[in-house]
Amino acid sequence: MNTKDVIVLTGAGQLGMAIVRRIAYGNKIIVADWKIENAEAISKTLVEAGFDVIPFKVDISSRESILTLIRVAQKEGEVSMLVNAAGLSPSQSTKEHILQVDLYGTSVLLEEFGKVIKKGGTGVTISSQSGYRMPALTADEDRLLATTPTEELLQLKMLQSENIRDTLHAYQIAKRCNGKRVMAEAVKWGERGARINSISPGIIVTPLALDEFNGSRGDFYKNMFAKSPAGRPGIADEVANVAELLMSEKGAFITGSDFLIDGGATASYFYGSLQPERN
């Protein structure tokens, strides 16, 4: 009889892999990505390091695709952990698609996994420092992002195309929404004795980030980390350090929270040399 717990990773990249390497040994891992070749590549690396892994194709902007992923996971055992590292960056797609994946998709993931997570289970979703860059929303806007039924989220007036300036704005409001949904879902996850948190990384060295550093916006990114207190980008294992805390018993009193890991770039954006008026 299979007694392994199941850890589900959505978003097959360096960040998600760094996290599951910390938390998943001895358990079954499902690595899911919208590109099956990405899932297979990360799975191969993990298998070669001794982990028990299944690659799977998922589209997190589709509830049915997420429910299929959950059914596959439950055939392997009880779902004890969710690591969501899936998402689109501002340079990867349209503002509508970013909202569908990063805002709606993440919200559906948190909702559906919150219905099946085992007692004592934990989840972490990767948000972004971008959620901190927007001006504050009103209390009503925050509540709408936190509590609107998922199938009605994309109908909110504030999320209509005419109210979203560009892909960066779409990304920022999606990440702001992620933090609010985590707070609201933490209440529901708590009813099952489970916890959910989010992490908002700054610039982290990954293959995608390296492409950005060498692309048309490269100088923008290099300036950002050069003028942050840390003076450098982060690495995936530094994010995994925090995820490991949040998903272990040492983090048992932490739920509904977001953790900003950006080397102080946001601090510099508001109070240092990255302030927009200085640039």
Side-chain angles (χ1 to χ4, degrees):
M1 181 178 176
N2 190 341
T3 58
K4 289 185 176 182
D5 281 347
V6 180
I7 288 82
V8 177
L9 167 63
T10 48
Q14 296 296 318
L15 206 51
M17 183 171 66
I19 294 171
V20 298
R21 287 185 75 129
R22 300 291 185 89
I23 63 172
Y25 40 84
N27 296 306
K28 193 83 174 185
I29 308 169
I30 296 181
V31 175
D33 196 277
W34 75 285
K35 285 186 175 178
I36 188 63
E37 56 268 30
N38 292 349
E40 289 169 345
I42 293 296
S43 296
K44 181 174 185 290
T45 300
L46 288 169
V47 167
E48 289 173 351
F51 292 90
D52 184 5
V53 192
I54 298 173
F56 193 78
K57 179 178 173 62
V58 71
D59 173 5
I60 70 162
S61 69
S62 160
R63 185 184 295 270
E64 188 50 49
S65 184
I66 289 170
L67 291 172
T68 301
L69 170 63
I70 288 172
R71 287 192 289 270
V72 168
Q74 289 182 309
K75 288 179 182 177
E76 301 295 331
E78 280 193 287
V79 178
S80 66
M81 292 183 179
L82 168 69
V83 177
N84 175 39
L88 295 166
S89 74
S91 61
Q92 284 183 302
S93 195
T94 64
K95 56 187 183 180
E96 291 82 8
H97 194 203
I98 288 168
L99 292 176
Q100 287 168 358
V101 174
D102 293 13
L103 188 148
Y104 169 78
T106 296
S107 300
V108 175
L109 266 179
L110 299 181
E111 176 186 353
E112 293 296 348
F113 274 88
K115 296 174 183 176
V116 301
I117 195 81
K118 71 179 287 188
K119 181 178 174 62
T122 58
V124 68
T125 188
I126 301 299
S127 187
S128 169
Q129 65 177 357
S130 277
Y132 288 80
R133 298 294 172 91
M134 285 170 49
L137 299 175
T138 67
D140 283 343
E141 288 171 328
D142 278 343
R143 179 168 289 277
L144 285 171
L145 289 179
T147 62
T148 298
T150 48
E151 293 308 313
E152 299 171 21
L153 261 174
L154 294 178
Q155 277 76 59
L156 289 176
K157 183 177 179 182
M158 63 191 294
L159 299 180
Q160 298 315 296
S161 186
E162 64 270 19
N163 296 321
I164 303 293
R165 294 186 301 276
D166 51 27
T167 59
L168 178 59
H169 185 209
Y171 186 73
Q172 289 176 332
I173 202 163
K175 296 307 181 180
R176 181 70 64 85
C177 181
N178 292 168
K180 298 303 177 184
R181 298 304 283 200
V182 161
M183 292 181 75
E185 284 294 338
V187 178
K188 299 173 185 176
W189 283 49
E191 293 169 0
R192 297 179 64 89
R195 300 184 294 108
I196 178 70
N197 292 289
S198 58
I199 295 175
S200 291
I203 300 171
I204 304 298
V205 177
T206 63
L208 176 62
L210 290 171
D211 285 344
E212 296 278 4
F213 296 164
N214 295 316
S216 59
R217 286 166 57 85
D219 289 344
F220 168 82
Y221 287 106
K222 290 171 186 174
N223 179 63
M224 188 187 298
F225 61 71
K227 290 183 178 177
S228 71
R232 63 171 178 84
I235 65 170
D237 285 274
E238 292 178 302
V239 178
N241 288 338
V242 176
E244 184 178 20
L245 166 67
L246 295 177
M247 302 186 84
S248 74
E249 280 304 306
K250 291 181 180 178
F253 199 53
I254 306 171
T255 192
S257 296
D258 180 73
F259 291 80
L260 179 63
I261 308 175
D262 69 346
T266 300
S268 185
Y269 179 83
F270 284 106
Y271 308 116
S273 58
L274 282 174
Q275 291 176 77
E277 59 268 27
R278 292 195 183 185
N279 294 281

